[in-house]
Amino acid sequence: MGILDQAPISGNFITKALEIARSVASKPVAVRRVSNMPVKEADFANVIIEEARKRIMKRARGAVAPLSCLRAIEASMKSPTYMDGVKREMELGHELMTGAQSSAMQYAFFAERTAQKWELPGGKITYKSTKPLPINTMGVIGCGTMGTGITISCISVNIPVTLIEVNQQLLDRGMAFIKRVYERNVKQGRISLAMAQKQMSLVNPTLDYGQLANVDCVIEAIFENMKLKKEIFKKLNAVCKPSALLCSNTSSLNIDEIASATTRPDKVAGTHFFSPAHIMKLLENIRGKYTSPETIATVMTLGKTINKVPVLVGNCHGFVGNRMMFHYTAQVSKPEHKLPWFLVIFCII
């Protein structure tokens, strides 16, 4: 109706409102359709569009839809008429709907959900027929990149974590990293300071394995050394309550051999996170020869709880993710396929 056009930049709004009301009190009001109004492009419109384009190019990382949205907005600002802008928006929408990325994203959407609907060979034992154990407390062994990332993933959904290291220096370094991650998230507005402090308080850093006595699940996240892992699992077997799950973040080692160091192989599973563990979504859950359906159901549910995409895989060298990468890197390393090292890394990422 044109009222907002007359709003004063400063001054008394009530006085101006009364003035407008008196001027139209005895006159019919002409309703204007926005779609019929000419678009007057502001001088700074191009600057805004370019700035938005730079941000999208940086954050979208190859996705076409965000740029198409920007092009639709740009068309609405620069087209002669409203319908010209609508027509361009429809064209862009059709390109997206029939494009390769649309098909790929739909496939990924349904594949992620299908992967979580696990079943064991034979089809009699499935995610529907097996009840997971409750996981209210966690233990994490190791304060390296993986251990701290797993810890952040757990405390981010308010699961308390007992974090174990072999010496105070490594423990302090790990806690400092977790603190920096939370400080950065607060600075970027992803989380409030109060919530960050609350979640940080859920970490219990210690050198004492005895403090794992009552946790529901422990994830070992040390470097790939079978002898050391078996020593740790033997210790966990003695310390943790009988119902506790003992999991390894190993990326390629044999889960059954790790489980052989315990008297509860049915409670042992692989939980392979990808680096950085608090950001990457994929979680490979590895079932060993003796891993029980209850344990499988629990680690799969835990994956969803900590906002990962859990996938159940079998026990073989490299499992699935690294097994594919082994062959991929072997191919690109052949003389006839030789690529510069930085391209190899880029392709793997």
Side-chain angles (χ1 to χ4, degrees):
M1 295 179 181
I3 294 175
L4 292 181
D5 296 348
Q6 300 183 57
I9 295 175
S10 61
N12 192 317
F13 280 84
I14 295 177
T15 300
K16 185 64 177 178
L18 288 170
E19 180 185 323
I20 295 170
R22 292 191 184 98
S23 69
V24 300
S26 58
K27 299 176 183 177
V29 178
V31 178
R32 306 178 304 167
R33 289 190 179 278
V34 175
S35 60
N36 293 333
M37 295 172 62
V39 177
K40 296 180 180 179
E41 185 184 344
D43 294 337
F44 53 83
N46 288 331
V47 176
I48 294 174
I49 291 292
E50 271 314 302
E51 182 62 29
R53 199 186 315 277
K54 289 177 183 178
R55 293 186 182 184
I56 290 171
M57 294 291 284
K58 183 178 180 180
R59 299 178 66 178
R61 301 187 68 175
V64 296
L67 282 173
S68 293
C69 292
L70 182 62
R71 291 189 187 104
I73 295 171
E74 189 175 16
S76 73
M77 298 170 65
K78 297 184 177 181
S79 298
T81 68
Y82 172 81
M83 289 309 299
D84 288 328
V86 170
K87 182 180 178 182
R88 181 56 182 148
E89 183 181 32
M90 291 175 67
E91 291 171 352
L92 290 165
H94 184 264
E95 289 174 8
L96 292 176
M97 289 173 63
T98 57
Q101 284 197 8
S102 175
S103 298
M105 291 173 73
Q106 289 177 56
Y107 175 83
F109 178 87
F110 290 108
E112 285 185 5
R113 283 145 186 81
T114 302
Q116 296 176 38
K117 298 175 182 178
W118 61 272
E119 65 176 45
L120 297 185
K124 293 184 179 180
I125 299 175
T126 71
Y127 71 101
K128 288 184 177 180
S129 64
T130 312
K131 187 177 180 180
L133 295 169
I135 299 294
N136 297 313
T137 54
M138 291 286 299
V140 174
I141 311 295
C143 271
T145 302
M146 299 307 297
T148 51
I150 295 168
T151 299
I152 292 170
S153 296
C154 293
I155 63 176
S156 294
V157 294
N158 298 313
I159 298 177
V161 175
T162 298
L163 183 58
I164 303 284
E165 253 302 353
V166 293
N167 62 56
Q168 193 63 46
Q169 182 181 1
L170 291 175
L171 194 62
D172 291 343
R173 188 173 69 181
M175 289 302 297
F177 174 79
I178 295 172
K179 184 179 179 182
R180 286 197 302 273
V181 170
Y182 270 95
E183 286 175 345
R184 183 167 63 249
N185 288 342
V186 170
K187 185 177 180 179
Q188 294 176 348
R190 296 177 180 175
I191 188 173
S192 68
L193 177 60
M195 182 60 72
Q197 291 172 339
K198 177 185 175 182
Q199 291 180 357
M200 280 285 294
S201 71
L202 296 176
V203 184
N204 171 31
T206 179
L207 307 178
D208 180 14
Y209 271 75
Q211 295 197 30
L212 296 172
N214 294 312
V215 300
D216 298 317
C217 177
V218 180
I219 298 178
E220 164 272 311
I222 67 162
F223 55 91
E224 297 288 77
N225 181 297
M226 179 60 81
K227 181 180 178 181
L228 185 55
K229 285 181 186 286
K230 289 175 75 172
E231 289 176 3
I232 289 174
F233 270 74
K234 185 177 181 180
K235 187 181 296 186
L236 293 175
N237 185 63
V239 169
C240 297
K241 61 186 181 182
S243 61
L245 269 57
L246 308 182
C247 303
S248 176
N249 180 58
T250 178
S251 60
S252 61
L253 299 181
N254 191 305
I255 292 299
D256 291 326
E257 186 175 350
I258 294 173
S260 69
T262 76
T263 58
R264 55 176 105 176
D266 59 310
K267 297 289 185 184
V268 178
T271 48
H272 177 212
F273 292 75
F274 289 76
S275 184
H278 58 293
I279 295 174
M280 301 297 282
K281 286 289 187 180
L282 179 60
L283 170 61
E284 281 188 317
N285 287 325
I286 305 100
R287 63 180 180 89
K289 183 178 180 180
Y290 302 105
T291 306
S292 70
E294 186 181 55
T295 298
I296 292 170
T298 303
V299 293
M300 291 295 284
T301 300
L302 175 63
K304 289 189 285 187
T305 300
I306 60 177
N307 299 313
K308 302 301 179 185
V309 179
V311 179
L312 183 63
V313 303
N315 182 27
C316 61
H317 183 64
F319 315 127
V320 175
N322 281 333
R323 195 177 182 86
M324 289 191 297
M325 192 181 76
F326 295 155
H327 291 286
Y328 187 91
T329 51
Q331 284 296 317
V332 298
S333 298
K334 287 183 177 180
E336 63 268 31
H337 300 149
K338 196 71 174 179
L339 294 174
W341 65 267
F342 58 87
L343 284 181
V344 174
I345 295 173
F346 176 78
C347 291
I348 292 171
I349 292 172

